[in-house]
Amino acid sequence: MLLLIPSTLAVLAGISVVTQQILNANLRGALASAAWSGFASYFVGLACMAVLAVALRDPPPAAAVLLRAPWWAWTGGVFGAIFIGLAIVLVPQLGAATFIVLVVAGQMLASVAFDHFGWLGLEQRPVDLSRLLGIALLIGGVFLIRR
């Protein structure tokens, strides 16, 4: 019961990801531009985060705090842009379900590797039999969804 709310929120986050990709792909068609569709997505997202920061009365971090973050911590937006750009192009080609299942497979493979090696400051969590089985089942799910 303790995990019900966080689990429900995680499912809602997943729903929002697929919804965002479909909307961005539709906007690409309307604008005839993947780049401007992605820009619009990020612009609206930036505006929403600004509203959230104001609503939470979250003060901007001091310059010293900004400088303490490692350089690579600032590159998350690059990977978000890669994801948004590829989704805008690939969702119409592959369909939403196939695209998302392939994204989840990529996320799972990468996250197991990041955990195993402790990359980017994560605590090391070695690959074990249950994780390998989970990866195998996920890859099997890719084939079933893709059919």
Side-chain angles (χ1 to χ4, degrees):
M1 193 61 166
L2 186 62
L3 293 177
L4 182 61
I5 291 175
S7 297
T8 302
L9 292 174
V11 169
L12 291 174
I15 292 168
S16 73
V17 167
V18 72
T19 304
Q20 178 193 29
Q21 301 324 308
I22 293 168
L23 294 173
N24 287 344
N26 287 335
L27 187 59
R28 174 192 177 210
L31 300 179
S33 171
W36 285 110
S37 173
F39 178 85
S41 180
Y42 268 95
F43 184 78
V44 171
L46 177 65
C48 289
M49 293 309 297
V51 168
L52 178 64
V54 169
L56 294 175
R57 296 187 175 143
D58 201 357
V65 172
L66 295 173
L67 294 173
R68 278 196 305 247
W71 69 267
W72 45 263
W74 297 96
T75 64
V78 172
F79 295 100
I82 290 168
F83 175 73
I84 295 286
L86 288 173
I88 289 167
V89 173
L90 296 175
V91 166
Q93 292 177 15
L94 298 173
T98 298
F99 176 77
I100 292 298
V101 77
L102 290 168
V103 165
V104 170
Q107 289 173 327
M108 183 57 59
L109 292 169
S111 63
V112 167
F114 275 72
D115 278 351
H116 180 75
F117 294 107
W119 289 335
L120 298 178
L122 289 178
E123 180 182 327
Q124 276 190 284
R125 291 181 175 88
V127 173
D128 58 13
L129 185 60
S130 67
R131 286 183 173 220
L132 290 174
L133 180 60
I135 291 168
L137 290 170
L138 187 62
I139 292 170
V142 169
F143 286 106
L144 291 174
I145 295 289
R146 184 68 178 122
R147 276 187 89 219

